[in-house]
Amino acid sequence: MAYLIGVDIGTSGTKTVLFTEKGEVVASYTGEYPLYQPQNGYAEQEPSDWWNASVAGIASVLHQSGVKKEDVKGIGLSGQMHGLVMLDKSGEVIRRSIIWCDQRTAKECEEIDAAVGRERMIAITSNTAVTGFTAAKILWVRNHEPENYARCAHILLPKDYIRFKLTGEFATEVSDASGMQIFDVAQRNWSDEILDKLQIDKSLLGKVYESPEITGRLTAAAAEKTGLAPGTPVVGGAGDNAAAAVGTGVVRDGRAFTTIGTSGVVFAHSSHIAIDPANRIHTFCCAVPGAWHLMGVTQGAGLSLKWFRDHFCQAEIDTATGMGVDPYFLMDQEAATVPIGANRLLYLPYLMGERTPHLDPNARGVFFGLSAIHTKKDLLRAVMEGVSYSLKDCLSIFEDMGVSIHDMMACGGGGSSPLWRQMLADLYACDVKTVGSKEGPALGVAILAGVGCGLYANVPEACDAIITADKIQHPIPENVRAYQPYYQLYTKLYPALKENYSILASLS
């Protein structure tokens, strides 16, 4: 039996999973680590924490399983995107990594737009300058820590630092590189034009691979630390969402997934590149060679329901504790008793501003239509529907760009709710499914490793063999019709409030 390892370097921890070549979980391990916030808006982590968690994870899954090291045929790496890891000439970390959610780089984004031009940035990278992306972080270090920038010999992303520690190679792959804003998404290589205009030395950057390609092999030192065999292949892997797409089988045209975690993501596969000139969504290279993905993000998806639970559902929390069930299970049951439209109550889920389609940090949450007839159950239903409307906004942009969807997977904590999946099926007017495996990114990069080491011919064939659908929600025709007027009204509310959001933000 051949085995594969997927390592997912996340923000709260690194999860390592050992799979059979058929995608069955053999053993898993999660190592947690801290997030450092030295100032308001800053977010940093120690790359050594990721490495220690990765080493412990690989060693643990081998020990738990008793699998022989020679039977592990490949390793795939996934991880948080956009983080900046800077190494000196000896390969030592210069400073903590500035990670994806750091917001210190507003002035650097203005610098990028001035140097490259907003429209040109969108044409090359599919995005205007974004505070959380890597290019602005590079400029921030150059502007504020010139001594560290002068020492820098290598720039890597979080998962690619683990690759370096495993193999000694300075490399990345197309999906993660797409989020650095120095990468030509259409040509799938570093953008000489942007690097020149930003005066970033190309020699600082690693070699770029396609996601299933072998990027290096385990060194003797790494093999000794992890317990794996020297020479074990390490493939390119993928950024977290691109890896999740492989782990859910979203690797062909017409397929997409919706994640309802703290934020919400709608992610669609496309065999042709499509860039939104209005910059409402991201377009990145995906983990399937020669293909791309479109991604829309709503900031306050599961966060909205958690906020409502924490502040208004103590009775449900107490009852659920006594019953030994999740409070969300009881909240689902209550929301299901309320009709579509929540008795003419709408919710805008902008608790943390919004990204898609409005890209407005000043946007804030709203209950619209609140009256004396409404109860807590109505508000609960409205919250779930409002998040669903926001995700429908993302999908509508895909459709406007010629990317049609007929097969939708649901992931994340919200994806476990049958009621929420039914809302999505009715609003999307297509089947919404869950997958049998819940390992997402770790499974995705293990599948990429299986392709890289020759167990499968290509990524779609590997997914066909490994990924199976679990639960399916079919759209209910009368529900599809019933939601339409509510969704149409929802789309009119943000434009009506936009100027007032700015006024609100200016108030002391």
Side-chain angles (χ1 to χ4, degrees), residues 41-42 51 84 97 177 207 212 217 233 249 251 276 284 343 348 395 460:
Y42 284 29
W51 172 236
L84 172 65
S97 172
K207 182 177 179 180
R217 295 177 182 273
V251 294
D276 177 24
F284 291 154
N343 291 311
L348 307 187
L395 190 64

Side-chain angles (χ1 to χ4, degrees), residues 289-310:
W292 290 265
H293 68 254
L294 285 68
M295 187 171 71
V297 180
T298 182
Q299 298 280 75
L303 174 66
S304 288
L305 193 62
K306 182 180 185 298
W307 165 80
F308 192 84
R309 181 201 68 180
D310 292 348

